[in-house]
Amino acid sequence: GGVGKTTIAKYAFNSYFESFERSSFLYNVRDFSESTDGLIYLQKQFLSDILDGRKIDIQSVEDGINQIKSAVYGKRVLIVLDDVDEVDQLAAIVGMRDCFYSGSKIIVTTRHIELLRACGIELIDHVQKLSIGESVELFSWHAFGQDHPVENYTKFLTRIIEYCIGCPLALQVLGSSLSGKSLVVWESTLKELEVIPNSQLSKKLQISFEFIQDDHDKSLFLDIACF
């Protein structure tokens, strides 16, 4: 998580969607599908994108699949399914991919490579973590507003980069949180990072939440995050 799969997919989508007759980007498929009638909601969103905003009534997932077959017939479409974690999510939207017109493209982001293989998807790109040099540059942009660190803070940088393990999201969030903060705050943040295992990225990101001093502001932040 946070390695940049969705960001890359958005870049590809924004770069090429005008070359297709229709396009649809379905965000957070995993989260939506967990809700009641989540798959039907995703099918409706997809059909609305493909049919220029037309409201669609779907009675069941099977009904949605049939309507999708009809909607994509004869059209070159670009589809992104973001954060998929179950086979039935793919099946509900693109399970009938043999029906898609020649030249259509389907992009799937997921943390589960075995899911892609189970669905017969062979063209797989492993998103790599950032190199040390890339990590320094990304962190510096968010912490200092430039592509290199400020001299007085250089002593902290190597250790912070090490604990962010090349994850763009962690680098961006921590860099933004530390921007404009004193050396004392940087030192205390580093001590917190050192006791969190590399596997627990969410706890590293939570450090930025703890920077919020006011309880009301913390509640407001969580409300915004939920929406």
Side-chain angles (χ1 to χ4, degrees), residues 148-220:
H148 58 279
V150 174
E151 185 174 351
N152 290 344
Y153 293 82
T154 304
K155 62 179 180 179
F156 299 112
L157 199 62
T158 300
R159 291 153 70 194
I160 288 178
I161 295 302
E162 177 182 345
Y163 290 111
C164 285
I165 56 172
C167 176
L169 181 60
L171 292 162
Q172 177 181 338
V173 170
L174 288 173
S176 298
S177 299
L178 290 169
S179 179
K181 299 296 192 299
S182 67
L183 291 172
V184 173
V185 173
W186 279 62
E187 182 68 55
S188 65
T189 300
L190 187 58
K191 289 180 180 178
E192 289 186 63
L193 287 173
E194 288 174 341
V195 299
I196 300 174
N198 278 348
S199 60
Q200 297 180 13
L201 175 64
S202 61
K203 290 188 177 181
K204 296 180 182 180
L205 298 177
Q206 188 173 341
I207 291 174
S208 64
F209 177 71
E210 301 303 331
F211 275 121
I212 303 174
Q213 300 296 320
D214 186 85
D215 288 340
H216 174 269
D217 289 348
K218 283 187 175 181
S219 297
L220 183 61

Side-chain angles (χ1 to χ4, degrees), residues 2-14 25 27 82 109 168-169 172:
V3 77
K5 299 181 293 297
T6 300
T7 300
I8 293 171
K10 282 194 289 188
Y11 180 83
F13 183 84
N14 291 334
F25 196 122
Y27 291 92
D82 173 52
T109 72
L169 181 60
Q172 177 181 338

